[in-house]
Amino acid sequence: LAKTTQPISMDSYEGQEVNITCSHNNIATNDYITWYQQFPSQGPRFIIQGYKTKVTNEVASLFIPADRKSSTLSLPRVSLSDTAVYYCLVGDREKLTFGTGTRLTIIP
Amino acid sequence: EAGVTQFPSHSVIEKGQTVTLRCDPISGHDNLYWYRRVMGKEIKFLLHFVKESKQDESGMPNNRFLAERTGGTYSTLKVQPAELEDSGVYFCASSQEPVYTEAFFGQGTRLTVV
């Protein structure tokens, strides 16, 4: 399974765009890149998934360069409610492998 | 539509006792997963059911843990006998397709073994 590396923590002010980058140098051809969000005392929640180029949904955008060795989750105009842990996961097998995640704190 | 539901939300038991956790997946989801996070560690995969069959139980820590999914609906995870190191949060997730699509997680069961 591809190992992922992402910042342990990030701070941002309300209303700003936040970009969280994840490195996955050993990503395999069949691997997808998936991001989950977790609030305290809740289970992880799916945000977005992609294979290559750019994916956008109502919550976030995911940018994946051609070599797929990294990916960037972009959250537009964050609010206090976006304070959470964000996990980058890579794999194609039927189980999710969570890393330490990035603890994002939004400052008023 | 109801989400993934887990019971109980919290459980405190003494070492050596038995505890059974329950997970009700989203209706129609054939794939059901158990994960857990022990104190200070990352969320780890335990096992995966496809309907009532165990597809992958490579993450089960030892034979004190027994998971079942009779009839392919709800699932139970029994810990017998519980040890101190079993304390943590146990998550259940379900998905319609294999998990490289969207998996829906329950709120978790916080287990404390004293």
Side-chain angles (χ1 to χ4, degrees), chain B residues 16-78:
Chain B
Q17 289 186 322
T18 297
V19 63
T20 299
L21 313 181
R22 173 171 169 144
C23 169
D24 286 75
I26 293 173
S27 178
H29 281 191
D30 288 339
N31 295 277
L32 186 149
Y33 310 83
W34 284 97
Y35 292 81
R36 75 170 180 177
R37 184 209 300 273
V38 296
M39 186 63 67
K41 299 290 183 61
E42 299 162 5
I43 299 172
K44 294 290 189 183
F45 167 85
L46 295 178
L47 88 160
H48 169 207
F49 284 100
V50 177
K51 298 185 180 180
E52 67 276 10
S53 299
K54 292 177 184 175
Q55 181 80 2
D56 181 353
E57 52 184 331
S58 60
M60 295 287 265
N62 51 61
N63 59 10
R64 295 186 294 104
F65 288 76
L66 175 64
E68 295 180 324
R69 191 182 183 195
T70 306
T73 55
Y74 70 91
S75 174
T76 58
L77 179 64
K78 180 189 290 187

Side-chain angles (χ1 to χ4, degrees), chain A residues 17-22 24 33 35 48 50-56 60-66 68 70-75:
Chain A
E17 177 184 80
V18 172
N19 295 310
I20 306 175
T21 296
C22 178
H24 27 81
I33 300 159
W35 286 80
I48 197 166
Y51 183 79
K52 61 181 180 181
T53 64
K54 176 184 175 182
V55 180
T56 298
S61 294
L62 178 60
F63 298 91
I64 305 169
R68 304 201 325 123
S70 67
S71 59
T72 299
L73 174 72
S74 181
L75 304 172

Side-chain angles (χ1 to χ4, degrees), chain A residues 36 38 49 87 95-96 100, chain B residues 35 37 42 48 58 100 103:
Chain A
Y36 277 77
Q38 186 179 27
Q49 182 181 81
Y87 295 97
K95 60 187 178 187
L96 299 172
T100 55
Chain B
Y35 292 81
R37 184 209 300 273
E42 299 162 5
H48 169 207
S58 60
Y100 61 77

